[in-house]
């Protein structure tokens, strides 16, 4: 029984709780619509680049040619990693999960900033750009080191997406692959007040620095119900292995109350618009790379799941094909969530900058259901469990 006398509503999972006003992102989960700063995700995927989209999210408007050039130059200038950070990455155990590496390295990045705390908006933006620029370098450096290769020095004049693929492999990527990667980064860059963005906002509301904010976001994105679902969705497709086995997999999973990864969403109660775009690229990539069996298996799982989940609001989300796309780009599965973080840093930092324009410390409440006034028990008299 609660000690609080007035009626209390607990918003478990904070469903439908608004924590701030925002001009960054609008999702219409009933109509399958997603807008960044008013621009539809379809328009941005068709015409923008990740750099332009990141600028849009952080500053609030589409950059002029000069502004975009300056933004790209700042990203390029910030991409190389400090020697100390590279040494640290070389010291991590090879078996480390790349998300743990990223979380630790972004936290360490703050140590190489002589003034991580700031209350100036422009400096916050500079730190956001610094973190955004370094994350691809961190992910690729660790991946190369764990494979006993030297990290690749970033080249200038490449897009953020192409630079990532280049630093990963040491080879200039195929322009189509770089384009697909670029679109994938645009699609993951922002998604309103999801779990990781909320974690970032909570941290920002304490006036902590941008490195702490981003570290909170990475830690939250780590879980399989959020960022990790893309890896799980691909593993499912690889395990099922053949379109003919999709139906029995889905029937068995649902019968055992298992979730089909890449399906369902707290906000979308219909198709996730990002899923549709990625599915198109997954089909094209499968044809180009001779991986039709993989794509066909994913489609078979999707078809079967939709049939059995008919009448429910559980539809494919962005993760149903993102892992397949990254896999066909030759990227190792455990790098998918770090790539998600690499892109979402744009949204995380944009929300931080916006929230701090009108900050209020986030401090919700928990309804206490325990006892009070228990007499202190001497150690020799304790039962070793909750006292009745
Ligand atoms: N497969 C089968 N059933 C599902 C699925 C799924 N993927 N998702 C939800 N359900 C069912 C639940 O079992 C539950 O059924 P019940 O009422 O009979 O118990 C019902 O739908 C409601 O589920 P909730 O967990 O309450 O719905 P919520 O809105 O919290 O779920 C979530 C959202 C966590 C994303 C969920 O759909 C899920 O676990 N999906 C799989 C993981 C995934 O793909 N995550 C990626 C999300 S997108 C992103 O983060 C980028």
């Amino acid at each position: 029984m609660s000690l609080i006398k007035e009626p209390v509503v607990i918003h478990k999972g904070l469903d439908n709780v608004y924590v701030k006003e925002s001009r960054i992102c609008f999702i219409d989960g009933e109509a399958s619509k997603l807008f960044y700063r008013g621009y539809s995700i379809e328009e941005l995927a068709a015409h923008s680049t990740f750099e332009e989209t990141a600028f849009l999210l952080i500053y609030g408007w589409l950059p002029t040619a000069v502004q975009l050039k300056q933004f790209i130059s700042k990203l390029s200038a910030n991409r190389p990693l400090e020697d100390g950070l590279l040494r640290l990455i070389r010291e991590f155990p090879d078996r480390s999960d790349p998300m743990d590496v990223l979380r630790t390295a972004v936290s360490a990045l703050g140590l190489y900033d002589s003034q991580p705390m700031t209350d100036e908006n422009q400096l916050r933006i500079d730190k956001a750009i610094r973190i955004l620029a370094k994350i691809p370098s961190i992910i690729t450096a660790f991946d190369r080191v764990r494979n006993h290769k030297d990290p690749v020095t970033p080249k200038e004049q490449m897009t953020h997406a192409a630079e990532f693929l280049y630093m990963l492999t040491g080879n200039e990527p195929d322009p189509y692959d770089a384009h697909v990667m670029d679109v994938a980064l645009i699609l993951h860059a922002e998604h309103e007040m999801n779990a990781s963005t909320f974690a970032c906002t909570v941290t920002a509301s304490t006036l902590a620095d941008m490195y702490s904010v981003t570290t909170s976001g990475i830690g939250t994105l780590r879980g399989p119900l959020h960022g990790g679902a893309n890896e799980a969705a691909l593993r499912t497709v690889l395990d099922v292995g053949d379109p003919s086995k999709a139906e029995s997999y889905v029937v068995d999973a649902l019968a055992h109350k298992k979730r089909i990864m890449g399906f369902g969403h707290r906000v979308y109660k219909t198709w996730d618009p990002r899923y549709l775009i990625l599915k198109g690229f997954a089909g094209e990539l499968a044809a180009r790379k001779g991986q039709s069996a993989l794509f066909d298996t994913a489609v078979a799982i999707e078809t079967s799941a939709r049939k059995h989940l008919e009448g429910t609001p559980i539809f494919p989300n962005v993760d149903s094909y993102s892992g397949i796309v990254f896999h066909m780009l030759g990227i190792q599965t455990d790098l998918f969530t770090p790539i998600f973080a690499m892109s979402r840093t744009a949204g995380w930092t944009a929300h931080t900058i916006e929230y701090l324009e009108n900050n209020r410390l986030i401090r919700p409440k928990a309804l206490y259901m325990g006892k009070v006034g228990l007499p202190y028990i001497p150690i020799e008299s304790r039962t070793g469990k909750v006292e009745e």
Side-chain angles (χ1 to χ4, degrees), residues 32-76:
S32 186
K33 293 278 175 223
L34 169 61
F35 300 89
Y36 295 171
R37 300 276 189 188
Y39 299 96
S40 80
I41 199 67
E42 290 82 4
E43 288 256 64
L44 292 170
H47 306 297
S48 188
T49 59
F50 174 73
E51 289 85 325
E52 190 179 66
T53 300
F55 183 106
L56 171 72
L57 290 169
I58 292 171
Y59 286 91
W61 64 88
L62 282 172
T64 63
V66 172
Q67 289 172 330
L68 184 59
K69 197 163 172 238
Q70 284 169 349
F71 188 71
I72 290 172
S73 300
K74 281 190 188 172
L75 284 172
S76 291

Side-chain angles (χ1 to χ4, degrees), residues 25 36 45-46 52 69 71 90 107 124 135 139 168 204 208 214 223 232 247-248 265 283 300 342 365 375:
C25 178
Y36 295 171
E52 190 179 66
K69 197 163 172 238
F71 188 71
R90 285 183 189 279
S107 178
R124 278 189 203 122
I135 287 183
I139 299 169
L168 195 63
T214 312
E247 174 75 5
S248 60
H265 201 277
M342 162 178 146
K365 298 189 89 172

